[in-house]
Amino acid sequence: MKTIEMINARARKPEWSMAEPVNFCLEEGEHIAIIGRNGSGKSLFVDMITGRHPAFPDMVKYAFDEPYNNLKHISFRDTYGGDNDRTYFLQQRWNQMEIDEETPTVGQKLEEAFQLAGEDTAERRALQHHIYQLFHLKPLLDKYVILLSSGELRKFKLAASLFTHPKVLIMENPFIGLDAETRDQLKELMTMLAKEQGLQIILVLAKTDEIPDFITHVVEVKEMKVLPKSEVRSKRLEVREHPQPQTISLTSHHSSLTTKSEVIRFNNVTIRYGERTILKDLDWTVRKGEHWSLSGQNGSGKSTLLSLVCADNPQSYACDIALFGHKRGSGESIWDIKRHIGYVSPEMHRSYKQNIPSIQIVASGLKDTIGLYTRPNEAEKEQCRKWMNVFGVGHLVERRFMEMSSGEQRLVLLARAFVKEPDLLILDEPLHGLDDENRRMVKAVVDKYCQNSDVTLIYVTHYQNELPTCIDNSLYLKKN
């Protein structure tokens, strides 16, 4: 029996369509991984399956009624709230004192999702508690949703979708941003749901080494074409050797702020939000030219630590923190600090909702803003093109940001982080959503850039194999 069937399916909008009609079926009992390079058409294919990008009538058929309830799609195009809820990045995300009392907690939102998804039965409550236990969500139930870390947010969104007990669940890159323990928990949960609940699962993966054991078949999308379904076995994408980046010439722009050997110094730093202690008695010194890895479980305080370094968190004024040799609160402005830092993170990716040409996104890195409020001059545009070419997105200079795949967006944001050739480079999960070849390329760029003895690096990842070879120091945060 065919659960979903697409017969010569073509999208109704010819300007956004696959290169050829799509033929695809999901048979009962199958679980599928959709793989492909960044920009290959995976998201468009999924949008055709779900009806978000509608095909012509009768080209997509379902074996169930009410696709809205029985076909759930989690894209993890990360948001803490609705499309208009963007204030968290520099405001509600860190300013606990400004959070409205009516701001929902994790428990409130999950209970709301549970009630909306069906009847309140003992069987459904058992599933709810099992999900809470498996994902260790109970300690988070009283936490404000806007204060969740990237990994915690993914667990929250997944739990809310599973309460509906859909027949087919589609998840895009579900494992990125999760620590190793949580990745194993998620695989265990999906295996249990597939076997015990009869749920069919479709995963969209950029990393072919993350195909779980319960997946039965693979569909590769290549150059906007959906290739025939095949058994999973050891299916992997062909990965070409990416050429080493050309020598990266750095502009001489070092100021008196970077003549000090200490770039960052934390002295007995403690950060609390209400009753929650995020960082406790942290001593940490980073010197110029050092390359640090920063790791820890989801919710251990990595993003909070970086918000202190980037001058986004107002609690830094109450702590003994020095940046570039200047104690916080001694007269330097946020912009004095930010002009020496190149930064990319899942939080930053979430904050970019402007559908503007990608070169303008990169140019905003020259001004340390989320949007671009001044027109770049020709020299600045040339600098943007240089770094877009380094990261392989030079051909997307005029492509609008919201019309790009998530992986292409991440490469554009990486070009933004490097564009002013900063003294301190902070890369928080920089390889999110990138395919195998682009991950190798980005690591090579980071290593080449860090050959300059003045460059300091902080690199966050949950995967040891994603660390560049230049790493020479490490900090692991324990969850309080």
Side-chain angles (χ1 to χ4, degrees):
M1 180 179 176
K2 294 179 174 61
T3 306
I4 300 174
E5 185 176 24
M6 304 177 72
I7 305 173
N8 292 324
R10 292 179 289 114
R12 292 185 181 182
K13 296 180 181 179
E15 68 274 18
W16 293 105
S17 62
M18 305 299 287
E20 61 186 24
V22 176
N23 289 283
F24 163 78
C25 72
L26 173 66
E27 300 277 358
E28 186 175 3
E30 290 181 344
H31 306 285
I32 289 178
I34 299 174
I35 62 175
R37 294 291 314 277
N38 296 131
S40 62
K42 300 188 300 294
S43 294
L44 178 56
F45 173 41
V46 168
D47 286 345
M48 291 178 67
I49 293 175
T50 61
R52 185 173 182 269
H53 194 81
F56 285 101
D58 299 325
M59 290 185 174
V60 182
K61 298 179 180 179
Y62 309 102
F64 43 78
D65 297 326
E66 299 180 350
Y68 176 79
N69 291 321
N70 287 299
L71 177 60
K72 289 296 179 181
H73 176 211
I74 308 176
S75 67
F76 296 117
R77 291 162 184 162
D78 305 310
T79 55
Y80 288 99
D83 290 340
N84 295 321
D85 180 21
R86 303 174 193 162
T87 59
Y88 73 89
F89 183 65
L90 295 179
Q91 296 177 15
Q92 290 188 357
R93 181 73 169 101
W94 305 122
N95 296 341
Q96 174 81 3
M97 67 289 294
E98 296 182 9
I99 296 178
D100 189 279
E101 291 182 358
E102 296 184 359
T103 301
T105 64
V106 171
Q108 290 169 337
K109 295 299 290 183
L110 287 176
E111 181 61 23
E112 179 183 317
F114 177 84
Q115 295 290 347
L116 290 172
E119 296 181 7
D120 191 347
T121 64
E123 183 181 6
R124 291 192 65 244
R125 283 293 179 188
L127 175 63
Q128 178 191 39
H129 292 307
H130 184 67
I131 291 171
Y132 285 176
Q133 182 179 21
L134 203 54
F135 276 170
H136 301 289
L137 286 172
K138 290 184 179 180
L140 301 179
L141 295 181
D142 63 344
K143 190 174 184 178
Y144 289 123
V145 173
I146 58 174
L147 294 179
L148 293 178
S149 70
S150 178
E152 291 171 333
L153 177 63
R154 285 170 177 270
K155 292 194 286 187
F156 161 76
K157 292 185 69 176
L158 178 60
S161 293
L162 291 177
F163 290 154
T164 64
H165 195 43
K167 295 185 181 301
V168 179
L169 177 64
I170 302 175
M171 290 182 284
E172 295 193 35
N173 292 316
F175 303 113
I176 60 174
L178 300 181
D179 56 52
E181 181 183 1
T182 305
R183 292 197 301 270
D184 290 340
Q185 292 167 359
L186 177 54
K187 291 176 183 178
E188 179 185 344
L189 177 62
M190 289 191 292
T191 301
M192 183 274 290
L193 291 171
K195 290 182 177 179
E196 299 178 12
Q197 304 294 324
L199 176 67
Q200 289 187 256
I201 297 173
I202 298 176
L203 302 182
V204 186
L205 302 172
K207 297 174 62 175
T208 57
D209 56 0
E210 288 192 331
I211 299 176
D213 292 339
F214 68 84
I215 293 294
T216 61
H217 294 77
V218 169
V219 172
E220 183 177 351
V221 182
K222 187 174 183 179
E223 298 176 349
M224 304 302 287
K225 299 178 182 178
V226 178
L227 303 184
K229 181 175 63 179
S230 62
E231 292 185 5
V232 60
R233 296 179 185 157
S234 59
K235 177 71 175 181
R236 294 179 61 87
L237 287 176
E238 176 186 353
V239 179
R240 301 190 303 273
E241 274 295 329
H242 199 284
Q244 289 293 311
Q246 297 178 353
T247 301
I248 299 173
S249 58
L250 302 181
T251 305
S252 178
H253 64 285
H254 300 293
S255 70
S256 59
L257 274 180
T258 58
T259 59
K260 303 287 185 180
S261 61
E262 288 186 358
V263 177
I264 301 167
R265 178 173 55 79
F266 282 29
N267 228 358
N268 201 35
V269 170
T270 295
I271 298 293
R272 293 186 178 91
Y273 292 113
E275 299 298 317
R276 293 179 177 276
T277 299
I278 308 301
L279 298 175
K280 184 177 181 180
D281 302 332
L282 176 63
D283 293 308
W284 186 40
T285 301
V286 177
R287 293 176 174 81
K288 184 168 69 172
E290 292 181 342
H291 308 135
W292 284 77
S293 70
L294 174 61
S295 59
Q297 289 181 308
N298 295 130
S300 60
K302 299 184 298 298
S303 295
T304 299
L305 184 152
L306 296 181
S307 75
L308 297 170
V309 176
C310 294
D312 293 332
N313 194 319
Q315 291 202 44
S316 62
Y317 290 102
C319 299
D320 187 355
I321 296 175
L323 301 174
F324 303 105
H326 292 255
K327 191 178 187 310
R328 290 291 283 125
S330 61
E332 85 291 1
S333 73
I334 288 176
W335 309 112
D336 289 333
I337 295 170
K338 285 183 176 292
R339 66 192 178 94
H340 296 276
I341 300 175
Y343 180 49
V344 69
S345 72
E347 283 85 2
M348 173 173 285
H349 198 160
R350 286 194 286 274
S351 70
Y352 270 97
K353 302 295 183 184
Q354 299 92 341
N355 197 23
I356 58 178
S358 60
I359 192 171
Q360 294 185 29
I361 299 290
V362 177
S364 71
L366 297 168
K367 313 297 181 182
D368 299 309
T369 58
I370 296 299
L372 184 63
Y373 304 104
T374 58
R375 188 183 299 274
N377 59 38
E378 195 53 45
E380 290 172 331
K381 288 182 180 178
E382 186 57 33
Q383 182 76 349
C384 293
R385 293 188 191 100
K386 164 190 167 181
W387 282 102
M388 291 185 75
N389 284 328
V390 167
F391 285 101
V393 287
H395 62 295
L396 300 176
V397 164
E398 297 302 327
R399 178 77 61 83
R400 292 188 175 274
F401 191 70
M402 300 305 291
E403 296 171 0
M404 305 167 74
S405 73
S406 178
E408 291 169 332
Q409 290 177 351
R410 181 51 57 102
L411 292 170
V412 168
L413 292 177
L414 280 163
R416 178 194 183 278
F418 281 77
V419 69
K420 62 184 175 184
E421 298 172 2
D423 305 305
L424 173 59
L425 193 59
I426 300 177
L427 304 181
D428 184 356
E429 299 285 2
L431 308 188
H432 262 194
L434 297 185
D435 60 49
D436 297 339
E437 187 171 334
N438 279 328
R439 282 187 288 149
R440 291 154 60 95
M441 177 268 290
V442 171
K443 286 169 61 179
V445 171
V446 172
D447 276 326
K448 183 70 74 172
Y449 185 80
C450 288
Q451 288 178 0
N452 185 298
S453 60
D454 289 331
V455 172
T456 306
L457 172 69
I458 301 174
Y459 192 103
V460 182
T461 181
H462 289 294
Y463 295 87
Q464 280 295 116
N465 62 2
E466 289 187 351
L467 290 172
T469 58
C470 65
I471 295 296
D472 48 28
N473 290 274
S474 63
L475 175 65
Y476 181 88
L477 295 181
K478 293 183 178 180
K479 193 171 182 178
N480 290 299

